[in-house]
Amino acid sequence: QVQLVESGGGVVQPGRSLRLSCAASGFGFSTYGMHWVRQTPGKGLEWVAVIWHDGTTTYYADSVKGRFTISRDNPKNTLYLQMDSLRVEDTAVYFCASEVKGRWYYFDYWGQGTLVTVSS
Amino acid sequence: QSALTQPASVSGSPGQSVTISCTGTFSDIGAYNFVSWYQQHPGKAPKLMIYDVSNRPSGVSTRFSGSKSGNTASLTISGLQAEDEADYYCSSYRTDDSAVFGGGTKLTVL
């Protein structure tokens, strides 16, 4: 069945970097656009970034533009999020999610999330 | 990129219907019919319940329905059941090639 497993979360100081990974299995990863979505503990969802199935196009939320980079390695079935210049307000659970096939603005399969805590 | 506006909470008794609203602008909900709804139980990942304003993915109960008027989308859950108690989020495509979520609505089944 479809599995998305995030990893790489942890505690990091403000201004430092962190890279998240999302290992995919059970579906045609290389044919799906992929997202990162985050959720502040006890709060709502916030879309972070999307990358098209072939990696040619990426879009970002204004709140992370210029600091975060989404990328993918299709042969390894893995999605990444490089987070630089981290801020306290980036503290959240980060989910990876697939698009609905061909519809990048919808979120179909989801992982269980990895917690990122930015604190001094 | 402001979030879409949802009521913080709604409630209903088993068997009743409830409607959750989601208000945006002419740059998101009002621009296209690319509105979706997600259900999230505590400690779980969100689940897609509605897309394209009113379409249900395979396996989602027909008790869930969606609609849109102008800049406001709505999710209606009929025949409320205990397992419907969860947080619900709307989402929309935006004309600046971004996606936006609502702040979320906690549904309580009395």
Side-chain angles (χ1 to χ4, degrees), chain B residues 23-97:
Chain B
T23 301
T25 71
F26 60 87
S27 296
D28 38 64
I29 292 176
Y32 303 96
N33 288 329
F34 299 152
V35 177
S36 53
W37 289 90
Y38 302 84
Q39 176 191 66
Q40 186 180 32
H41 288 106
K44 300 294 188 180
K47 175 186 176 183
L48 177 64
M49 305 299 286
I50 295 285
Y51 68 98
D52 286 350
V53 174
S54 59
N55 289 341
R56 281 183 305 276
S58 173
V60 172
S61 170
T62 57
R63 297 185 299 105
F64 291 83
S65 61
S67 63
K68 191 190 92 166
S69 177
N71 295 339
T72 298
S74 298
L75 173 71
T76 298
I77 308 170
S78 59
L80 267 180
Q81 299 179 0
E83 66 252 34
D84 299 333
E85 185 161 296
D87 294 327
Y88 291 85
Y89 294 90
C90 59
S91 180
S92 175
Y93 168 75
R94 276 195 155 156
T95 53
D96 63 354
D97 285 330

Side-chain angles (χ1 to χ4, degrees), chain A residues 29 36-38 45 51 63 68 74 78 82-83 92 95-96 105-106 108 110-111 114 117:
Chain A
F29 176 77
W36 287 98
V37 175
R38 66 186 182 184
L45 300 169
I51 185 168
S63 58
F68 290 11
N74 282 345
T78 302
Q82 177 66 41
M83 303 186 294
F95 296 96
C96 64
Y105 32 84
Y106 297 137
D108 199 356
W110 294 70
T114 186
T117 302

